[in-house]
Amino acid sequence: MIAREIKREILSLVAIDWDRRLFDELVPLPEGTTYNSYLIRGSEKTVLIDTTYSPFIGELVDVLKREGVSKLDYIVSNHAEGDHSGAIPTLLELYPEAKVVTNTRCKGLISEALLVAEDKFIEVKDGDTLSLGDKTLEFMLMPWVHWPDTMVTYVPEDRILFTCDFFGSHLASSDLFAEDEARVEDAAKRYYAEIMMPFRIHIKKHLKRLDALAIEMIAPSHGPVYERPEFILDLYRQWVSDVAKAEVVIPCVSIYESTSLMVTYLTDRLMERGVRVQQFNMVDADTGEFAKSLVEASTVIFASPVVLAGPHPDIVSAAYLMNALRPKTKMVGVMGSYGWGGNILSKSITGLLDGLKSQVAYLDPVLIKGLPKQQDFAALDVLADAIARRNQPAGELVEV
Ligand code: FEO
């Protein structure tokens, strides 16, 4: 870990986790991640914004020593999760005069998880400030990005906003700043999809508050720093808006080709009608890519054979994940093939989407016996027409 100055007397301390491939035993990390801390040397007080994940405590302590930090006055904790709070107990031992500055909820979580004593905390409320001498910390509580304790810290003298998880990206990189914007956009979108999307409504409100703030730099605690804040702010405004894109996502599984023939046929018909399609074979799909596809797509069509008494388990998992992620999807459809039994696919899948029922219109399902026949293809033509009608013009933002 090295220290790099991002503003006068504000240093970025980045632990690069090149090899991590799973977060919370759930979220795939194809490009690893980083855990960022920021050291601010005010004229009177020194503060560390967020700490690091426990495997990197040694690196963080070493860099603080190399930077000659003999006294740390405050450790600001914007969020209690272990990847940012893991070093707090060690740092409190190393710097016994330091106080952990955070909000009531975050304090409660840190106390429980890390057994930090009551007298080690300074509690702050929304709008509170803390002077470092020539710099000031302003705290803004922004709950549910993505835990109830989350807050951001603003330094008005430098117009820099420290956002912890908010605006982050899981991207192990030596780049200090988001110079490769295409790469960062992809990582930030995936991060939003997996972690932030369920809290879209909260984020909308927080973005409005940030509109009133003069921001020259956004410094998250995962991924690179944004020297051009409008880049990530505009992306977030687009992702949280209620406007969906003319895109169809098809999570699918097929066993003996019947369902895959239906998927191929529908995909071709949608492409003919100028509708963008993304297919995911859920047996081996990267769930992060699937989640990312849900950020803006207007329509999701689940395609599954009947397995035992219901949909294929990987399609059940896809529907469960979609329901948990709360995308802004406007239309949902189900199609598939069965060998015997009846139309149990549709209810089984749509029943898993309870959290979306107030916003989603259901298309007529296309459920067939065995291989698709002429009348089945005709039913898929009708489905393609219904989707295309509400997804024009292709590729542009649409409100369905
Ligand atoms: Fe990066 Fe919610 O922790």
Side-chain angles (χ1 to χ4, degrees):
M1 187 186 297
I2 60 168
R4 291 175 286 186
E5 193 168 62
I6 53 173
K7 288 270 187 182
R8 185 186 60 82
E9 296 299 340
I10 301 181
L11 302 176
S12 159
L13 315 175
V14 178
I16 309 177
D17 200 343
W18 300 97
D19 297 328
R20 193 166 180 185
R21 286 295 171 266
L22 203 56
F23 201 90
D24 290 345
E25 298 304 315
L26 178 67
V27 176
L29 301 178
E31 298 192 271
T33 191
T34 68
Y35 319 102
N36 312 342
S37 307
Y38 299 94
L39 181 69
I40 307 179
R41 288 177 166 132
S43 57
E44 292 172 16
K45 304 284 186 186
T46 301
V47 59
L48 188 70
I49 308 267
D50 294 330
T51 72
T52 197
Y53 184 39
S54 52
F56 294 90
I57 292 172
E59 286 194 33
L60 181 59
V61 168
D62 284 350
V63 79
L64 290 172
K65 284 181 181 166
R66 284 204 306 276
E67 286 301 313
V69 179
S70 56
K71 183 169 181 281
L72 193 60
D73 297 285
Y74 306 118
I75 301 167
V76 169
S77 179
N78 282 320
H79 172 36
E81 193 165 4
D83 51 326
H84 309 292
S85 64
I88 288 177
T90 304
L91 293 176
L92 289 176
E93 275 180 31
L94 196 62
Y95 300 104
E97 70 288 350
K99 298 288 183 192
V100 179
V101 180
T102 193
N103 61 78
T104 309
R105 273 183 145 163
C106 191
K107 173 187 163 186
L109 291 165
I110 289 173
S111 301
E112 293 291 338
L114 299 171
L115 307 178
V116 175
E118 171 79 26
D119 65 353
K120 289 291 183 185
F121 287 96
I122 294 175
E123 265 186 70
V124 291
K125 298 187 293 299
D126 187 58
D128 280 358
T129 60
L130 190 61
S131 175
L132 307 180
D134 60 346
K135 296 180 192 286
T136 313
L137 304 180
E138 291 183 10
F139 305 102
M140 298 171 77
L141 270 55
M142 296 206 169
W144 295 111
V145 287
H146 60 132
W147 279 16
D149 63 313
T150 45
M151 68 178 197
V152 300
T153 302
Y154 180 62
V155 178
E157 292 82 0
D158 296 289
R159 298 185 168 190
I160 181 169
L161 185 70
F162 298 95
T163 57
C164 199
D165 280 349
F166 200 8
F167 304 122
S169 58
H170 285 313
L171 185 58
S173 166
S174 60
D175 291 352
L176 178 56
F177 297 109
E179 286 155 21
D180 184 346
E181 289 192 344
R183 186 174 181 215
V184 176
E185 177 178 341
D186 193 60
K189 187 174 187 179
R190 185 179 171 110
Y191 183 97
Y192 167 83
E194 294 165 327
I195 295 163
M196 297 294 169
M197 191 156 63
F199 310 103
R200 192 168 65 91
I201 305 305
H202 296 274
I203 294 172
K204 260 189 193 185
K205 280 189 280 182
H206 299 327
L207 287 175
K208 286 219 168 73
R209 278 191 81 189
L210 293 181
D211 282 345
L213 218 55
I215 303 173
E216 280 181 7
M217 187 177 282
I218 290 179
S221 294
H222 295 291
V225 170
Y226 301 98
E227 281 186 296
R228 202 168 71 78
E230 281 309 307
F231 160 67
I232 193 68
L233 288 167
D234 282 346
L235 287 171
Y236 261 72
R237 288 181 191 118
Q238 181 182 321
W239 296 336
V240 302
S241 83
D242 292 329
V243 180
K245 273 189 174 172
E247 292 178 2
V248 178
V249 176
I250 308 182
C252 54
V253 172
S254 189
I255 299 176
Y256 284 116
E257 280 199 349
S258 300
T259 304
S260 68
L261 283 170
M262 297 174 75
V263 169
T264 302
Y265 185 84
L266 181 70
T267 300
D268 287 351
R269 300 295 81 74
L270 289 170
M271 287 167 61
E272 283 170 357
R273 288 159 174 78
V275 178
R276 192 158 179 266
V277 180
Q278 292 189 75
Q279 264 186 42
F280 294 90
N281 183 339
M282 297 311 299
V283 172
D284 55 8
D286 175 337
T287 51
E289 285 301 303
F290 171 59
K292 197 174 74 179
S293 76
L294 298 176
V295 170
E296 297 184 89
S298 70
T299 308
V300 177
I301 306 291
F302 291 91
S304 175
V306 173
V307 178
L308 299 175
H312 189 285
D314 289 332
I315 291 297
V316 171
S317 175
Y320 180 87
L321 180 63
M322 179 176 164
N323 188 59
L325 293 177
R326 300 282 194 276
K328 56 185 166 188
T329 314
K330 312 294 184 188
M331 289 192 296
V332 168
V334 175
M335 65 184 189
S337 170
Y338 55 91
W340 58 92
N343 295 343
I344 51 176
L345 274 179
S346 187
K347 267 192 184 164
S348 303
I349 292 170
T350 56
L352 292 165
L353 302 174
D354 207 42
L356 303 172
K357 65 183 175 192
S358 62
Q359 71 183 59
V360 156
Y362 287 103
L363 296 155
D364 289 337
V366 180
L367 305 171
I368 69 165
K369 193 170 171 65
L371 278 173
K373 300 157 196 74
Q374 195 177 355
Q375 71 273 17
D376 304 320
F377 289 124
L380 291 173
D381 288 335
V382 172
L383 179 61
D385 280 337
I387 294 169
R389 246 195 328 275
R390 302 175 78 177
N391 275 293
Q392 296 296 340
E396 292 183 16
L397 294 175
V398 291
E399 277 189 277
V400 183

